[in-house]
Amino acid sequence: MNGPDLLNLLRRSDIDPLHTYLSDLQAQFEAGRLHENDLLRAFQCFQTSDLTLGDGFQRWTETHPGTYAPHVALASWFLGRGWEARGQATSDRVSDQGWRALDHFLTQADGCARHAVTLTENPLAAWKVVGLVSNTRGCQLSLHDVQTQQYPDWFTRGVQDQPGSLALRRTMLLHLRAEWGGSEEHMLTFVRQQQDAGQLGQADMQRLWAEFHSHVSHHAMAFANDPATAVERARIAAELYPLQAEQLFIALTGANAAPDERLAALSRYLDAAAQEGRAAPGRMFGWALHQAGDWLVPETPRLAALLTRAAQDGDDDSAIMLGELQLTHPKWKLPDARPLLQQARDQGHTEAAELLVRYQEQTLGEKLRDTPQKREDILKAADLLSGDMSWRVYRDFDAYRTQFTLDDRQKFRYLHRAADSGDNDARFELARQLRGGRVEVGEDGVLRPVDTAPLQGSLDYARHLLERAASTNHRGAVKMLRATRDRDWQAATARRLNVAGVTTNSGGFWQDWWKWMLAAAVIRLIAALLGHH
């Protein structure tokens, strides 16, 4: 069974065949009859944000308590949900909501995986989940720690159980990347240690070296602004392991290399991916594709086949890539990504839900400017914690209230979600509503509509929101903060702000064009009347 088959069993709560299959794989692995890649691939499919799996996990853990497979799968699911909550943005653009959800799910994943470690003899899959949690939190190892091999338990105990594990060593190499708190020296020291230990075969050791050079290439391009080093190290990586031609294509793109060089690197990668059969490209590959011109067209059939196959195997990022490329490169005639995006959205993928809305707006234009179907898609994205779509629901709430029978509590939930995700217009609007005594935050952290003088907690939160928005020069927030005095932030002396309608105050002249036009019309009318008399 492949990943989607296993997820479908869980989704239908068809637990016995699922549990038997994974337990048999674990038994084969511990008996030395199954390669670690086959075992880890089976559990990796649970690293998803699919919200439809919750009932299945509950039934699985209830019908097979104290067993290894459901706990590893559940830990993987928590990890996937944490990654989805964080999103793909750089750390400085992750929302408050995203960080809180990430921390919550990482804690759940770590605890569940560590419990799974106690339930079998060789818990490789569980240790890898703990390692991925550790990677997500960032490297805490000093260079001295690496030099003296003071590694965390997920690595030392995992390698003790599985001395020839390439998977654990690849995870540790990721952990030591410079952008995560390590350095090139961290990684180089680690890889040399593994070579000296002699526990990996020649092919695996060569792949580890390839990934070392690939990580250095990525850092040189994305963080050190050193395209020459990025290309040089990517070439070494691709020679050592053909699938690393993906990084070579990315590095050549970052260096603005000639199209024929980039096309040759892409062709090398597609050759290697076809031979490997299970390759799924990373997000930077999608970035490089977006920078390409129509010189890439000769490879679009193979590219489309790769992304479609990976998406059908459960890789949501490949579905996102395919959908985005349809929008940015319509001349490439790629297959319709909407069925894959709808599948990803229905399984809880926020970015897929947002992309489906973008697809409607960019390909169907004015015909779908505001329709019940479009509102349904926007609401689905908002319910998957999209800050942008939550703000759109709030701004046009009357239409959503009518179509979906929503109430004011839900209205402010979408506003809160949009503000929490970092939308400055939403922060400004929520601050206004808090100062106006129209809404307050309950002890459970949920906004509720009220009609009373603002509480001190509401005023404190409003000020925080305005300061966050003003820090990025939101015009309305800056103006409101300048206009307030200390008494306006004290519940005993603050006056309720008169709030009516949705105000954003971030669009400058063009957002207020109608005011200027109205003023000009009034002036012209007065001038005409005076001239007449």
mmCIF file of all heavy atoms in Angstrom, residues 245-271:
data_model
loop_
_atom_site.group_PDB
_atom_site.id
_atom_site.type_symbol
_atom_site.label_atom_id
_atom_site.label_comp_id
_atom_site.label_asym_id
_atom_site.label_seq_id
_atom_site.Cartn_x
_atom_site.Cartn_y
_atom_site.Cartn_z
ATOM 1 N N ALA A 245 20.952 17.462 -8.677
ATOM 2 C CA ALA A 245 20.842 18.381 -9.813
ATOM 3 C C ALA A 245 19.694 19.361 -9.584
ATOM 4 O O ALA A 245 19.657 20.436 -10.195
ATOM 5 C CB ALA A 245 20.643 17.607 -11.108
ATOM 6 N N GLU A 246 18.753 19.009 -8.716
ATOM 7 C CA GLU A 246 17.704 19.953 -8.325
ATOM 8 C C GLU A 246 18.318 21.203 -7.713
ATOM 9 O O GLU A 246 17.963 22.334 -8.074
ATOM 10 C CB GLU A 246 16.745 19.294 -7.329
ATOM 11 C CG GLU A 246 15.693 20.240 -6.782
ATOM 12 C CD GLU A 246 14.871 19.625 -5.659
ATOM 13 O OE1 GLU A 246 15.078 18.446 -5.324
ATOM 14 O OE2 GLU A 246 14.007 20.346 -5.102
ATOM 15 N N GLN A 247 19.252 21.038 -6.780
ATOM 16 C CA GLN A 247 19.907 22.189 -6.163
ATOM 17 C C GLN A 247 20.772 22.935 -7.179
ATOM 18 O O GLN A 247 20.887 24.164 -7.124
ATOM 19 C CB GLN A 247 20.755 21.746 -4.964
ATOM 20 C CG GLN A 247 21.550 22.853 -4.298
ATOM 21 C CD GLN A 247 20.683 23.995 -3.791
ATOM 22 O OE1 GLN A 247 19.529 23.791 -3.438
ATOM 23 N NE2 GLN A 247 21.227 25.204 -3.745
ATOM 24 N N LEU A 248 21.365 22.223 -8.128
ATOM 25 C CA LEU A 248 22.150 22.886 -9.160
ATOM 26 C C LEU A 248 21.253 23.791 -10.011
ATOM 27 O O LEU A 248 21.621 24.925 -10.335
ATOM 28 C CB LEU A 248 22.855 21.851 -10.037
ATOM 29 C CG LEU A 248 23.683 22.407 -11.199
ATOM 30 C CD1 LEU A 248 24.760 23.365 -10.701
ATOM 31 C CD2 LEU A 248 24.310 21.271 -12.002
ATOM 32 N N PHE A 249 20.073 23.295 -10.374
ATOM 33 C CA PHE A 249 19.120 24.112 -11.131
ATOM 34 C C PHE A 249 18.732 25.355 -10.330
ATOM 35 O O PHE A 249 18.663 26.474 -10.864
ATOM 36 C CB PHE A 249 17.890 23.267 -11.465
ATOM 37 C CG PHE A 249 16.756 24.024 -12.084
ATOM 38 C CD1 PHE A 249 16.904 24.677 -13.297
ATOM 39 C CD2 PHE A 249 15.512 24.097 -11.451
ATOM 40 C CE1 PHE A 249 15.854 25.380 -13.872
ATOM 41 C CE2 PHE A 249 14.459 24.795 -12.018
ATOM 42 C CZ PHE A 249 14.632 25.444 -13.238
ATOM 43 N N ILE A 250 18.521 25.193 -9.036
ATOM 44 C CA ILE A 250 18.144 26.322 -8.179
ATOM 45 C C ILE A 250 19.297 27.322 -8.082
ATOM 46 O O ILE A 250 19.105 28.539 -8.210
ATOM 47 C CB ILE A 250 17.752 25.807 -6.784
ATOM 48 C CG1 ILE A 250 16.490 24.948 -6.865
ATOM 49 C CG2 ILE A 250 17.552 26.970 -5.810
ATOM 50 C CD1 ILE A 250 16.200 24.153 -5.602
ATOM 51 N N ALA A 251 20.510 26.816 -7.860
ATOM 52 C CA ALA A 251 21.666 27.696 -7.711
ATOM 53 C C ALA A 251 21.968 28.456 -9.000
ATOM 54 O O ALA A 251 22.303 29.647 -8.968
ATOM 55 C CB ALA A 251 22.884 26.886 -7.279
ATOM 56 N N LEU A 252 21.867 27.778 -10.138
ATOM 57 C CA LEU A 252 22.083 28.455 -11.420
ATOM 58 C C LEU A 252 21.037 29.537 -11.650
ATOM 59 O O LEU A 252 21.332 30.598 -12.208
ATOM 60 C CB LEU A 252 22.049 27.431 -12.559
ATOM 61 C CG LEU A 252 23.264 26.499 -12.656
ATOM 62 C CD1 LEU A 252 22.986 25.346 -13.619
ATOM 63 C CD2 LEU A 252 24.508 27.278 -13.105
ATOM 64 N N THR A 253 19.817 29.272 -11.207
ATOM 65 C CA THR A 253 18.768 30.295 -11.312
ATOM 66 C C THR A 253 19.110 31.496 -10.441
ATOM 67 O O THR A 253 18.991 32.648 -10.870
ATOM 68 C CB THR A 253 17.406 29.710 -10.901
ATOM 69 O OG1 THR A 253 17.089 28.612 -11.760
ATOM 70 C CG2 THR A 253 16.312 30.754 -10.998
ATOM 71 N N GLY A 254 19.551 31.237 -9.206
ATOM 72 C CA GLY A 254 19.936 32.329 -8.315
ATOM 73 C C GLY A 254 21.105 33.134 -8.848
ATOM 74 O O GLY A 254 21.219 34.326 -8.574
ATOM 75 N N ALA A 255 21.979 32.475 -9.616
ATOM 76 C CA ALA A 255 23.132 33.160 -10.208
ATOM 77 C C ALA A 255 22.802 33.802 -11.548
ATOM 78 O O ALA A 255 23.690 34.359 -12.197
ATOM 79 C CB ALA A 255 24.282 32.168 -10.380
ATOM 80 N N ASN A 256 21.534 33.690 -11.952
ATOM 81 C CA ASN A 256 21.097 34.250 -13.236
ATOM 82 C C ASN A 256 21.927 33.691 -14.387
ATOM 83 O O ASN A 256 22.352 34.438 -15.290
ATOM 84 C CB ASN A 256 21.149 35.781 -13.215
ATOM 85 C CG ASN A 256 20.303 36.406 -14.301
ATOM 86 O OD1 ASN A 256 19.335 35.813 -14.777
ATOM 87 N ND2 ASN A 256 20.672 37.604 -14.738
ATOM 88 N N ALA A 257 22.172 32.393 -14.362
ATOM 89 C CA ALA A 257 22.964 31.735 -15.407
ATOM 90 C C ALA A 257 22.192 31.696 -16.720
ATOM 91 O O ALA A 257 20.967 31.946 -16.758
ATOM 92 C CB ALA A 257 23.327 30.318 -14.965
ATOM 93 N N ALA A 258 22.890 31.375 -17.769
ATOM 94 C CA ALA A 258 22.275 31.328 -19.096
ATOM 95 C C ALA A 258 21.187 30.252 -19.126
ATOM 96 O O ALA A 258 21.303 29.218 -18.458
ATOM 97 C CB ALA A 258 23.330 31.031 -20.153
ATOM 98 N N PRO A 259 20.137 30.474 -19.918
ATOM 99 C CA PRO A 259 19.041 29.505 -19.977
ATOM 100 C C PRO A 259 19.472 28.093 -20.357
ATOM 101 O O PRO A 259 18.927 27.129 -19.813
ATOM 102 C CB PRO A 259 18.106 30.101 -21.043
ATOM 103 C CG PRO A 259 18.346 31.569 -20.957
ATOM 104 C CD PRO A 259 19.805 31.703 -20.661
ATOM 105 N N ASP A 260 20.450 27.947 -21.258
ATOM 106 C CA ASP A 260 20.847 26.598 -21.657
ATOM 107 C C ASP A 260 21.481 25.843 -20.499
ATOM 108 O O ASP A 260 21.287 24.627 -20.354
ATOM 109 C CB ASP A 260 21.781 26.638 -22.860
ATOM 110 C CG ASP A 260 23.040 27.456 -22.605
ATOM 111 O OD1 ASP A 260 23.031 28.298 -21.688
ATOM 112 O OD2 ASP A 260 24.036 27.253 -23.329
ATOM 113 N N GLU A 261 22.235 26.549 -19.621
ATOM 114 C CA GLU A 261 22.804 25.899 -18.438
ATOM 115 C C GLU A 261 21.698 25.450 -17.481
ATOM 116 O O GLU A 261 21.743 24.343 -16.928
ATOM 117 C CB GLU A 261 23.749 26.854 -17.705
ATOM 118 C CG GLU A 261 25.118 27.010 -18.288
ATOM 119 C CD GLU A 261 26.031 27.775 -17.323
ATOM 120 O OE1 GLU A 261 26.667 27.116 -16.465
ATOM 121 O OE2 GLU A 261 26.068 29.019 -17.407
ATOM 122 N N ARG A 262 20.754 26.311 -17.279
ATOM 123 C CA ARG A 262 19.660 25.985 -16.354
ATOM 124 C C ARG A 262 18.811 24.844 -16.897
ATOM 125 O O ARG A 262 18.405 23.937 -16.152
ATOM 126 C CB ARG A 262 18.820 27.234 -16.104
ATOM 127 C CG ARG A 262 19.574 28.293 -15.309
ATOM 128 C CD ARG A 262 19.054 29.701 -15.546
ATOM 129 N NE ARG A 262 17.714 29.903 -15.034
ATOM 130 C CZ ARG A 262 17.040 31.049 -15.169
ATOM 131 N NH1 ARG A 262 17.604 32.078 -15.790
ATOM 132 N NH2 ARG A 262 15.818 31.168 -14.678
ATOM 133 N N LEU A 263 18.552 24.858 -18.192
ATOM 134 C CA LEU A 263 17.759 23.789 -18.797
ATOM 135 C C LEU A 263 18.493 22.457 -18.709
ATOM 136 O O LEU A 263 17.871 21.416 -18.441
ATOM 137 C CB LEU A 263 17.445 24.128 -20.259
ATOM 138 C CG LEU A 263 16.557 23.131 -21.009
ATOM 139 C CD1 LEU A 263 15.195 22.998 -20.318
ATOM 140 C CD2 LEU A 263 16.374 23.556 -22.460
ATOM 141 N N ALA A 264 19.819 22.495 -18.897
ATOM 142 C CA ALA A 264 20.598 21.258 -18.792
ATOM 143 C C ALA A 264 20.530 20.688 -17.372
ATOM 144 O O ALA A 264 20.402 19.470 -17.183
ATOM 145 C CB ALA A 264 22.052 21.524 -19.195
ATOM 146 N N ALA A 265 20.602 21.570 -16.365
ATOM 147 C CA ALA A 265 20.516 21.110 -14.976
ATOM 148 C C ALA A 265 19.127 20.547 -14.686
ATOM 149 O O ALA A 265 18.995 19.515 -14.008
ATOM 150 C CB ALA A 265 20.835 22.259 -14.024
ATOM 151 N N LEU A 266 18.100 21.213 -15.189
ATOM 152 C CA LEU A 266 16.741 20.710 -14.994
ATOM 153 C C LEU A 266 16.578 19.334 -15.639
ATOM 154 O O LEU A 266 15.980 18.431 -15.040
ATOM 155 C CB LEU A 266 15.735 21.692 -15.578
ATOM 156 C CG LEU A 266 14.267 21.242 -15.563
ATOM 157 C CD1 LEU A 266 13.772 21.038 -14.131
ATOM 158 C CD2 LEU A 266 13.375 22.255 -16.282
ATOM 159 N N SER A 267 17.117 19.168 -16.835
ATOM 160 C CA SER A 267 17.023 17.878 -17.516
ATOM 161 C C SER A 267 17.726 16.784 -16.717
ATOM 162 O O SER A 267 17.224 15.653 -16.615
ATOM 163 C CB SER A 267 17.612 17.984 -18.922
ATOM 164 O OG SER A 267 16.895 18.922 -19.710
ATOM 165 N N ARG A 268 18.888 17.109 -16.148
ATOM 166 C CA ARG A 268 19.607 16.130 -15.304
ATOM 167 C C ARG A 268 18.741 15.718 -14.117
ATOM 168 O O ARG A 268 18.683 14.537 -13.755
ATOM 169 C CB ARG A 268 20.922 16.730 -14.803
ATOM 170 C CG ARG A 268 22.033 16.812 -15.823
ATOM 171 C CD ARG A 268 23.280 17.438 -15.220
ATOM 172 N NE ARG A 268 23.869 16.625 -14.160
ATOM 173 C CZ ARG A 268 24.928 17.006 -13.449
ATOM 174 N NH1 ARG A 268 25.508 18.190 -13.669
ATOM 175 N NH2 ARG A 268 25.429 16.218 -12.505
ATOM 176 N N TYR A 269 18.092 16.706 -13.510
ATOM 177 C CA TYR A 269 17.247 16.381 -12.362
ATOM 178 C C TYR A 269 16.062 15.519 -12.773
ATOM 179 O O TYR A 269 15.735 14.538 -12.093
ATOM 180 C CB TYR A 269 16.755 17.649 -11.669
ATOM 181 C CG TYR A 269 15.708 17.360 -10.622
ATOM 182 C CD1 TYR A 269 16.032 16.635 -9.478
ATOM 183 C CD2 TYR A 269 14.391 17.773 -10.785
ATOM 184 C CE1 TYR A 269 15.070 16.332 -8.514
ATOM 185 C CE2 TYR A 269 13.425 17.487 -9.832
ATOM 186 C CZ TYR A 269 13.777 16.766 -8.708
ATOM 187 O OH TYR A 269 12.825 16.459 -7.772
ATOM 188 N N LEU A 270 15.402 15.867 -13.863
ATOM 189 C CA LEU A 270 14.245 15.089 -14.306
ATOM 190 C C LEU A 270 14.645 13.666 -14.687
ATOM 191 O O LEU A 270 13.883 12.717 -14.450
ATOM 192 C CB LEU A 270 13.567 15.792 -15.477
ATOM 193 C CG LEU A 270 12.891 17.140 -15.130
ATOM 194 C CD1 LEU A 270 12.381 17.821 -16.389
ATOM 195 C CD2 LEU A 270 11.758 16.940 -14.136
ATOM 196 N N ASP A 271 15.828 13.505 -15.257
ATOM 197 C CA ASP A 271 16.342 12.155 -15.541
ATOM 198 C C ASP A 271 16.481 11.358 -14.244
ATOM 199 O O ASP A 271 16.053 10.196 -14.154
ATOM 200 C CB ASP A 271 17.703 12.233 -16.243
ATOM 201 C CG ASP A 271 17.598 12.722 -17.686
ATOM 202 O OD1 ASP A 271 16.497 12.662 -18.259
ATOM 203 O OD2 ASP A 271 18.644 13.159 -18.219
#
